[in-house]
């Protein structure tokens, strides 16, 4: 909506009754209530969203990064209703949404993947043969999953049959699709992803990487760019691989190609997210770009050939969640009695909150993204610690104390961490 304001485009916000006081409702030129708090009845209800678009005469819908952002049926219904879905076409979402198809698609384009099964695994014998060939441990992944949902690690042949059957049943339950595939399990990798942008004229480019290795139970907590583990040569190779993956499906819009990076510097395609992501602001700060503006421009048929973005400095994002890090990150909804956000050079806060706002208990716990930009990683860390000290939230518990503690550790400062860090390193709040 801020981008639209700058572009002279008027906006309509949609909201559930639980979000009537959210900042996006006040910021929008018009707002339409689309139902009660349960997201199935509001933010996931396609007919209600289309009705809101139609009564307000909307030209386009920006799906954000949750709910329907990667729903191919929604993208399809938008286009057939004459409303531009700001994102890729339904077929592109479908191809990348089915993880085994995505894997096969990028392999054909010459992108490295982790050694694994040749397509979906349909029998115990096939699973045993695949695992024997690539070696244990292996990981079973549901093709309809993503983001870590429903994955199972198997460390020896004796567990494989049991794990396969369980994984298939769980996948059927959770996604209505029992398809699973197998990969060699890479122990404690880093999560490094590449921001890509494609236009409607066949051009595809990348805007460097984001390191999202600091995660807890598949929830990212800190993201930064550049990655402490990526040099210019690796960035160039991962960027080229990400562009190949996106170009393989004629990708349109902003997208992210996720890679695992092992401790020897090998990278492997994991999945492609066909949406703008929560952590996109770190790329915006380092590359001096408004990615939402780029999404809107390519949706309006703009051509990106010849566009270049000059990276500068280092950007870090800390996710400020309504969660209590002292109590296993349990949710802590409630009133923001005080909500004082930091400012000053190189500090950005993206939030829907304000003093007296009541964080509802129904949705994702993210209440603010605190993003800093500075010349070097060291200066960015100091700036982040300064901004975290200035950030005052009274009324609910947040992840601010967690970030202060983590950013003080030698391990974080030296870039010595992997995706297992929070669970294995002994790092704790007490
Ligand atoms: C893996 C893996 C190890 N080996 N695949 C989890 C989320 C999804 N995008 C991919 N995931 C993983 N796939 C192979 N072959 C380890 C993970 C993984 C992980 C990846 C990124 C960040 C955090 C993670 C936490 C646990 C497991």
């Amino acid at each position: 909506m801020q981008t639209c304001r700058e572009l002279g485009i008027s906006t309509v916000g949609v909201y559930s009754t639980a979000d009537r006081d959210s900042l996006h409702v006040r910021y929008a030129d018009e707002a339409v209530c689309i139902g009660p708090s349960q997201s199935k009845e509001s933010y996931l209800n396609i007919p209600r969203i289309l009705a809101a678009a139609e009564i307000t005469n909307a030209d386009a819908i920006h799906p954000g990064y949750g709910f329907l952002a990667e729903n191919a049926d929604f993208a399809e219904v938008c286009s057939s209703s004459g409303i531009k879905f700001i994102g890729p076409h339904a077929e592109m979402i479908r191809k990348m949404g089915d993880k085994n198809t995505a894997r096969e698609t990028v392999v054909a384009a010459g992108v490295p993947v982790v050694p694994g099964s040749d397509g979906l695994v349909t029998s115990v014998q096939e699973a045993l043969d695949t695992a024997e060939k690539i070696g244990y441990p292996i990981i079973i992944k549901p093709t309809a999953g993503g983001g870590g949902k429903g994955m199972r690690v198997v460390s020896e042949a004796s567990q494989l049959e049991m794990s396969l059957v369980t994984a298939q049943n769980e996948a059927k339950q959770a996604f209505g699709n029992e398809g699973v595939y197998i990969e060699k399990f890479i122990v404690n990798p880093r999560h490094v992803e590449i921001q890509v942008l494609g236009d409607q004229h066949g051009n595809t480019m990348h805007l460097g990487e984001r390191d999202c290795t600091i995660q807890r139970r598949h929830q990212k907590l800190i993201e930064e760019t550049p990655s402490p583990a990526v040099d210019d040569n690796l960035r160039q190779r991962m960027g080229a691989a990400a562009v190949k993956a996106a170009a393989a499906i004629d990708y349109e819009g902003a997208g992210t190609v996720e890679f695992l990076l092992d401790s020897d510097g090998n990278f492997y395609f994991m999945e492609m997210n066909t949406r703008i992501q929560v952590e996109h602001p770190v790329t915006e700060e380092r590359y001096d770009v408004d990615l939402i503006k780029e999404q809107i421009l390519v949706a309006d048929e703009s051509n990106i050939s010849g566009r270049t973005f000059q990276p500068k400095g280092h950007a870090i994002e800390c996710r400020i969640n309504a969660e209590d890090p002292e109590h296993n990150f349990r949710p802590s909804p409630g009133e923001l009695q005080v909500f004082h956000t930091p400012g000053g050079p190189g500090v950005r806060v993206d939030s829907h909150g304000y003093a007296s706002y009541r964080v509802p208990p129904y949705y994702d716990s993210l209440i603010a993204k605190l993003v800093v930009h500075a010349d070097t990683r060291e200066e960015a860390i100091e700036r982040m610690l300064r901004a975290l000290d200035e950030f005052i939230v009274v009324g609910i518990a947040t992840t601010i104390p967690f970030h202060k503690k983590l950013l003080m550790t030698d391990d974080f400062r030296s870039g010595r961490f992997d995706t297992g860090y929070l669970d294995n390193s002994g790092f704790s709040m007490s």
Side-chain angles (χ1 to χ4, degrees):
M1 288 179 193
Q2 291 171 326
T3 300
C4 285
R5 185 75 55 99
E6 292 178 13
L7 292 173
I9 298 169
S10 58
T11 57
V12 180
V14 295
Y15 63 97
S16 73
T17 53
D19 279 345
R20 63 171 82 256
D21 296 322
S22 183
L23 209 51
H24 81 279
V25 175
R26 300 189 185 185
Y27 195 90
D29 295 304
E30 283 176 80
V32 179
C33 182
I34 53 167
S37 51
Q38 303 95 293
S39 41
K40 278 237 178 315
E41 312 271 321
S42 49
Y43 298 115
L44 291 171
N45 187 310
I46 295 176
R48 286 194 183 160
I49 292 168
L50 263 293
E54 270 154 19
I55 60 171
T56 55
N57 227 341
D59 302 306
I61 295 180
H62 191 296
Y65 38 70
F67 295 120
L68 299 172
E70 295 187 280
N71 185 307
D73 295 335
F74 180 58
E76 200 162 79
V77 177
C78 287
S79 10
S80 58
S81 310
I83 293 164
K84 176 62 187 171
F85 176 81
I86 301 176
H89 286 116
E91 315 86 75
M92 304 173 189
I93 300 176
R94 278 198 192 101
K95 273 200 191 121
M96 288 300 175
D98 186 273
K99 304 306 171 190
N100 178 58
T101 302
R103 183 177 149 93
E104 289 176 352
T105 305
V106 307
V107 167
V111 177
V113 299
V114 186
S117 57
D118 192 9
L120 296 177
V121 170
T122 52
S123 73
V124 177
Q125 194 54 54
E126 198 185 342
L128 286 165
D129 292 347
T130 301
E132 199 58 47
K133 198 172 77 199
I134 62 180
Y136 292 88
I138 59 102
I139 183 168
I140 306 175
K141 298 185 172 188
T143 191
K149 273 174 272 157
M151 297 181 176
R152 302 186 84 82
V153 177
V154 182
S155 51
E156 49 178 296
S158 66
Q159 303 170 348
L160 187 53
E161 173 164 13
M162 175 72 158
S163 294
L164 178 69
V165 173
T166 311
Q168 287 171 324
N169 287 335
E170 281 181 5
K172 179 104 191 148
Q173 275 295 321
F175 314 113
N177 176 349
E178 64 170 15
V180 300
Y181 61 102
I182 288 177
E183 285 178 354
K184 170 118 191 123
F185 181 64
I186 309 290
V187 179
N188 294 337
R190 294 182 79 110
H191 173 126
V192 177
E193 59 186 31
I194 303 284
Q195 176 68 53
V196 297
L197 183 65
D199 69 15
Q200 297 182 33
H201 311 281
N203 304 297
T204 314
M205 65 183 299
H206 77 87
L207 290 90
E209 81 281 11
R210 292 184 288 261
D211 191 312
C212 310
T213 298
I214 297 290
Q215 311 201 353
R216 186 183 167 275
R217 302 190 181 166
H218 301 297
Q219 280 278 96
K220 295 169 186 167
L221 283 159
I222 298 181
E223 303 94 346
E224 61 181 310
T225 184
S227 165
V230 174
D231 62 14
D232 286 344
N233 176 279
L234 182 56
R235 177 172 308 109
Q236 191 268 325
R237 290 183 293 123
M238 292 182 79
V243 166
K244 271 193 214 169
I249 59 164
D250 279 313
Y251 193 72
E252 175 194 336
T256 299
V257 182
E258 290 184 6
F259 294 98
L260 290 186
L261 182 63
D262 73 15
S263 43
D264 299 324
N266 303 304
F267 64 89
Y268 309 95
F269 172 88
M270 281 291 104
E271 22 190 281
M272 178 169 183
N273 299 314
T274 56
R275 61 171 194 279
I276 195 80
Q277 289 190 273
V278 170
E279 60 270 25
H280 76 274
V282 295
T283 301
E284 294 188 328
E285 296 304 313
R286 176 163 145 85
Y287 287 80
D288 190 23
V289 60
D290 176 347
L291 287 169
I292 309 306
K293 180 174 173 182
E294 299 303 323
Q295 287 187 297
I296 294 170
L297 293 180
V298 302
D300 195 32
E301 299 176 16
S302 143
N303 189 312
I304 61 169
S305 69
R307 291 293 297 280
T308 55
F309 297 96
Q310 283 310 319
K312 181 174 165 286
H314 198 100
I316 306 177
E317 170 176 281
C318 286
R319 295 196 189 191
I320 313 302
N321 295 336
E323 292 173 2
D324 186 351
E326 312 259 7
H327 292 96
N328 210 23
F329 292 81
R330 74 177 174 210
S332 70
E335 187 188 338
L336 305 177
Q337 292 160 357
V338 177
F339 192 70
H340 177 82
T341 54
V347 176
R348 163 177 172 181
V349 178
D350 288 7
S351 176
H352 59 287
Y354 51 88
S356 85
Y357 174 68
R358 189 171 275 282
V359 178
Y362 307 108
Y363 312 115
D364 191 277
S365 64
L366 185 70
I367 56 167
K369 300 189 252 184
L370 174 56
V371 184
V372 302
H373 185 222
D375 288 340
T376 65
R377 186 169 189 269
E378 292 67 34
E379 289 168 290
I381 292 171
E382 291 311 321
R383 183 161 277 172
M384 182 62 86
L385 284 166
R386 184 273 283 179
L388 287 163
D389 268 332
E390 279 174 29
F391 208 144
I392 312 291
V393 181
V394 176
I396 66 165
T398 74
T399 47
I400 291 172
F402 163 85
H403 290 300
K404 286 183 182 171
K405 182 125 200 245
L406 184 67
L407 265 56
M408 294 288 287
T409 63
D410 287 342
D411 288 336
F412 186 82
R413 285 165 176 262
S414 61
R416 246 181 296 129
F417 48 85
D418 57 42
T419 51
Y421 184 77
L422 293 183
D423 298 322
N424 311 332
S425 69
F427 177 84
S428 98
M429 287 300 295
S430 44

